[in-house]
């Protein structure tokens, strides 16, 4: 494959990826299956949109342009890198023995044992194949266990009715939970008041919020870490509160899991919830998710109906087992933390050289930066565009993988130096010509 440089001429603006995406918007509602992969979230009409091949830390687009991926790395799913040979080989073996049959795959029992070994405070496991459905399953189990309806949440937890119901009573409720602009269209009005957001890291405010409704709270669910980490005292206080009011404590580890250690980040904190939910990184991009919890809570799954044919395939467990094995053997957490810290340092150094003000946040393995000045979204978009010219997929976030090397960081850092300098020289007129990327959920115009 060639490594053609991308230029800001008509051939770039009308690349195969852009043309195919225009077609997609006419036949796929929203253009893509995942909001986080919409080209409009990066650089409208310029983001390559589709890949023909992905390997390690590199991606090839439909025109055989090769990019170093220093952006979201499969939305954080590919913790080992793209097309990891060990994981793919395990999947191929599973396929050769039959993906599914009238009997169950023994791999799901083996994987359950591994997950419980990592989290010995839990005794039982159920599986799904995506994060959103796994959280919905966890909420269903919690409601079945508590025989209550209301779910208090902090953070982003997917697309399901139980979550979007928060915006039935106030259409701004979810704006502070990562993705502003989400509409509860299609969610039954009868779910009004059954889910409510609460402020992260503020236990006293939560207690005041639920005062008088303690006996109605089925579960408290939160992301223990994303943009910022919860304090250990706060998590312990949440655990005590749940025990006091009889609610189920759930940690959504779909994003935080496997980013700082093998398994859940709560292993580091030493605070054990009643349930934890995993997806994304646990199978290096293959569809797989798990709900793991105490026997007392998880047995409530048998009092309701939770079932799916596709949750029984052998591919997901095979990929997860291979990912766990390689992650542990090579201490992947240490590598991605190191790479992530180096990238965060490079952002700081490049910004200082260019005289640009930025705020850097997030875990080392889930780093992000934000321009702390006027026209910040235009700067975000221009950053993406200029990095494309350097054959680098870049964004205001970076999710490192085991495949990322120090050489990748050096290439990225050199390009960031160059691009930040370009951004610092932009005029007011330049800003007006930038078609800004979307910042939340926006309806797309059919083309």
């Amino acid at each position: 494959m060639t490594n053609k440089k991308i230029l800001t001429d008509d051939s770039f603006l009308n690349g195969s990826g852009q043309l195919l995406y225009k077609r997609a918007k006419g036949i796929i509602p929203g253009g893509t299956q995942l909001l986080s992969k919409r080209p409009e979230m990066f650089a409208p009409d310029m983001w390559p949109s589709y890949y023909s091949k992905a390997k390690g830390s590199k991606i090839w687009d439909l025109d055989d342009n090769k990019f170093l991926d220093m952006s979201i790395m499969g939305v954080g799913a590919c913790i080992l890198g793209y097309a990891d040979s060990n994981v793919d080989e395990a999947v191929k073996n599973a396929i050769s023995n039959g993906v599914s049959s009238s009997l169950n795959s023994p791999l799901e029992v083996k994987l359950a044992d591994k997950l419980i070994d990592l989290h010995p405070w839990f005794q039982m496991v159920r599986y799904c194949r995506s994060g959103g459905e796994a959280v919905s399953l966890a909420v269903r189990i919690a409601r079945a266990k508590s025989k209550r309806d209301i779910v208090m949440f902090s953070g982003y937890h997917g697309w399901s009715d139980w979550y979007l119901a928060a915006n039935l009573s106030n259409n701004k409720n979810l704006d502070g939970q990562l993705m502003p602009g989400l509409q509860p269209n299609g969610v039954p009005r009868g779910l009004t008041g059954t889910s409510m957001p609460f402020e992260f890291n503020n236990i006293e405010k939560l207690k005041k919020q639920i005062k008088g409704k303690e006996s109605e709270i089925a579960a408290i669910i939160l992301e223990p870490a994303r943009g910022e980490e919860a304090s250990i005292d706060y998590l312990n206080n949440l655990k005590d509160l749940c025990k006091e009011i009889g609610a189920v404590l759930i940690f959504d580890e779909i994003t935080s899991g496997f980013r700082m250690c093998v398994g859940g980040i709560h292993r580091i904190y030493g605070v054990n919830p009643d349930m934890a939910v995993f997806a994304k990184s646990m199978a290096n991009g293959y569809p797989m998710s798990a709900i793991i919890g105490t026997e007392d809570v998880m047995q409530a799954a048998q009092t309701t109906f939770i079932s799916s044919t596709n949750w029984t395939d052998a591919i997901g467990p095979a990929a997860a087992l291979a990912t766990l094995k390689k992650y542990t053997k090579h201490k992947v957490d240490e590598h991605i933390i190191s790479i992530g810290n180096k990238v965060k340092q490079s952002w700081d150094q490049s910004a200082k050289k260019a005289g640009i003000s930025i705020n850097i946040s997030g875990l080392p393995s889930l780093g992000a930066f934000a321009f702390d000045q006027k026209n910040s979204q235009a700067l975000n978009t221009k950053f993406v565009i200029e990095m494309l010219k350097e054959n680098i997929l870049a964004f205001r976030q970076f999710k490192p993988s085991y495949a990322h090397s120090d050489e990748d960081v050096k290439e990225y850092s050199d390009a960031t130096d160059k691009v930040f300098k370009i951004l610092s020289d932009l005029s007011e007129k330049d800003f007006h010509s930038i078609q800004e990327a979307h910042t939340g959920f926006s309806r797309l115009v059919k083309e």
Side-chain angles (χ1 to χ4, degrees), residues 46-319:
M46 302 185 85
W47 190 249
S49 304
Y50 300 94
Y51 73 98
S52 61
K53 175 184 174 182
K55 181 67 176 176
S57 60
K58 311 300 190 301
I59 292 179
W60 287 258
D61 71 5
L62 300 186
D63 298 312
D64 286 349
N65 294 301
K66 179 182 176 182
F67 296 92
L68 167 62
D69 191 351
M70 299 296 288
S71 60
I72 57 176
M73 205 65 191
V75 199
C78 298
I79 196 79
L80 301 178
Y82 297 128
D84 179 81
S85 58
N86 298 107
V87 178
D88 288 355
E89 188 61 33
V91 169
K92 290 173 185 175
N93 288 338
I95 292 172
S96 68
N97 290 322
V99 170
S100 185
S101 80
S102 297
L103 302 181
N104 299 292
S105 170
L107 296 179
E108 63 184 40
V109 181
K110 186 175 181 180
L111 177 59
D113 283 336
K114 292 287 186 182
L115 290 172
I116 291 169
D117 284 345
L118 284 171
H119 311 85
W121 40 90
F122 296 136
Q123 294 84 43
M124 305 195 86
V125 182
R126 282 295 300 259
Y127 302 121
C128 302
R129 291 300 181 268
S130 72
E133 64 183 357
V135 175
S136 293
L137 190 153
V139 167
R140 170 78 71 80
I141 293 173
R143 283 173 166 163
K145 166 63 180 173
S146 64
K147 297 179 174 60
R148 301 171 180 177
D149 294 336
I150 297 176
V151 176
M152 304 298 299
F153 67 86
S154 175
Y156 174 73
H157 304 293
W159 59 274
S160 300
D161 284 4
W162 79 265
Y163 183 62
L164 292 187
N167 272 8
L168 290 171
S169 56
N170 182 337
N171 63 12
K172 300 287 187 182
N173 268 342
L174 294 173
D175 282 5
Q177 308 295 330
L178 181 68
M179 197 70 71
L182 298 179
Q183 296 298 318
N185 297 328
V187 178
R189 307 298 299 183
L191 293 178
T192 301
T194 58
S195 62
M196 294 183 286
F198 64 91
E199 185 178 316
F200 187 70
N201 254 344
N202 191 333
I203 191 69
E204 293 305 320
K205 190 170 182 178
L206 173 60
K207 288 180 178 179
K208 290 179 182 178
Q209 188 177 351
I210 66 173
K211 190 172 179 60
K213 296 183 178 180
E214 291 90 342
S215 63
E216 301 175 53
I217 308 299
I220 294 177
I221 180 171
L222 77 157
E223 296 181 284
R226 182 187 276 268
E228 63 175 305
E229 295 185 79
S231 74
I232 293 177
D233 285 344
Y234 171 70
L235 294 178
N236 275 315
N237 285 332
L238 274 179
K239 185 174 181 177
D240 291 341
L241 176 62
C242 284
K243 184 176 181 180
E244 178 185 335
I245 67 175
V248 177
L249 179 60
I250 306 170
F251 284 174
D252 179 344
E253 295 248 28
I254 291 170
T255 296
S256 58
F258 298 86
R259 301 310 304 191
M260 298 297 288
C261 65
V262 61
I265 198 171
H266 72 272
R267 293 181 65 228
I268 297 175
Y269 301 153
V271 182
N272 309 326
D274 298 305
M275 281 194 286
V277 182
F278 302 99
K280 287 190 187 290
S281 300
M282 73 175 295
N284 202 53
Y286 285 95
M288 189 66 211
S289 56
I291 303 90
I292 182 168
T294 64
E295 181 176 6
D296 179 54
V297 171
M298 293 293 288
Q299 285 287 13
Q302 298 202 75
T303 69
T304 183
F305 183 62
I306 301 166
S307 185
S308 174
T309 298
N310 287 336
W311 295 349
T312 67
D313 78 82
I315 291 177

